[in-house]
Amino acid sequence: MTITSDDELEALRKIGRIVARTLEAMGQALEPGMTTKELDDIGRALLEAEGARSAPELAYGFPGATCISVGPDVAHGIPGDRRIAAGDLVNIDVSAELDGFYGDTGASFAVPPVSKTIERLCRDGRRAMWSGIRAVRPGAPLNAIGKGVEGFARKNGYTLIRNLASHGVGRSLHEEPEGLATWYDPADRRTIGEGLVFTIEPFLALGDDWVDELDDGWTLRPSRGGPAVQYEHTLVATKNGPVILTLAA
């Protein structure tokens, strides 16, 4: 989507705040012993209280309001009876629709106690995302985002999952531009237009660069089973730089 009016921007800010606050509340509620279904129920209740609808459920018939993946799984995990344990690495992805506009955000949470390696991976997952966000400006190549993320990853000894990418969003959950690599792709000649709405969501890993789909048809797990994290914002490119739409405040 490319924003054409202040009303569209405000509508995207509104749904962006809703998904951001939902993600924040779910992260705060996360504790050992609860099931991923119980955590998802919290997310569903918060979305419904705002009049928002789960985007994966609406768009794809996903069996849950939010995607909750417990390591080594990294994405599209189905909420269910699995109990979260101390030491788990949990990814929560919240996307929703309100009045025809979509917001999409996500984060990984380490349930204490965890190793210094996992603490560092979570910290650097956020830093990797911001390395991409800082490259956003109208007229810049889209692959500058991946160049920034990959540069950070290589410098700090990480790998990136290369079959999961960022995407356009706004009037639907996934729209053009699709396949926005969070690694440098010199073949991508597209540029960032003013007003373009899209996500930036690198998957930073310790050795893995690919995920496989499990037999449930949804859950994605790194091929070598190593830890990986994802952090995601929806943003819009403006002449004054990137504006983050998925902020809780």
Side-chain angles (χ1 to χ4, degrees):
M1 176 182 178
T2 297
I3 290 176
T4 59
S5 70
D6 289 341
D7 287 344
E8 289 179 340
L9 177 58
E10 183 50 40
L12 287 165
R13 284 187 188 274
K14 185 174 182 180
I15 186 58
R17 284 193 297 269
I18 291 169
V19 295
R21 289 170 181 170
T22 300
L23 176 66
E24 182 178 73
M26 292 176 71
Q28 290 172 350
L30 185 61
E31 63 180 7
M34 75 186 311
T35 68
T36 54
K37 176 64 165 57
E38 289 170 338
L39 186 59
D40 184 62
D41 287 343
I42 293 170
R44 181 183 296 280
L46 291 167
L47 292 176
E48 290 180 350
E50 297 288 349
R53 298 186 292 175
S54 160
E57 200 171 56
L58 179 65
Y60 301 113
F62 180 75
T66 65
C67 299
I68 303 174
S69 309
V70 182
D73 304 337
V74 297
H76 303 171
I78 301 172
D81 295 333
R82 178 167 181 173
R83 293 196 179 276
I84 294 164
D88 278 342
L89 186 57
V90 182
N91 180 268
I92 304 173
D93 195 303
V94 181
S95 55
E97 176 272 343
L98 180 69
D99 298 329
F101 293 89
Y102 288 74
D104 191 1
T105 189
S108 295
F109 300 87
V111 183
V114 294
S115 68
K116 293 295 185 182
T117 298
I118 296 301
E119 287 183 357
R120 178 175 176 265
L121 178 63
C122 291
R123 180 200 70 195
D124 286 345
R126 294 185 182 89
R127 294 172 67 192
M129 176 186 65
W130 281 101
S131 294
I133 290 173
R134 283 192 291 271
V136 174
R137 61 175 178 80
L142 273 168
N143 66 14
I145 297 168
K147 189 173 185 178
V149 174
E150 184 171 5
F152 173 87
R154 287 183 178 276
K155 180 179 178 180
N156 291 280
Y158 296 103
T159 53
L160 292 160
I161 302 296
R162 291 176 179 259
N163 60 329
L164 291 172
S166 306
H167 55 91
V169 65
R171 284 294 192 174
S172 60
L173 180 57
H174 295 99
E175 58 185 55
E176 293 297 330
E178 287 276 21
L180 300 182
T182 55
W183 57 92
Y184 182 55
D185 178 7
D188 189 347
R189 303 293 184 178
R190 296 173 294 180
T191 58
I192 302 172
E194 185 173 350
L196 185 66
V197 184
F198 57 99
T199 70
I200 292 180
E201 48 177 314
F203 286 78
L204 196 71
L206 290 172
D208 282 281
D209 61 5
W210 202 261
V211 291
D212 300 316
E213 185 177 275
L214 302 190
D215 291 342
D216 63 17
W218 291 103
T219 307
L220 300 176
R221 178 178 295 174
S223 298
R224 293 162 54 184
V229 295
Q230 175 247 27
Y231 294 89
E232 174 184 14
H233 272 310
T234 297
L235 55 91
V236 56
T238 78
K239 61 185 178 182
N240 296 318
V243 172
I244 308 302
L245 300 172
T246 43
L247 295 175

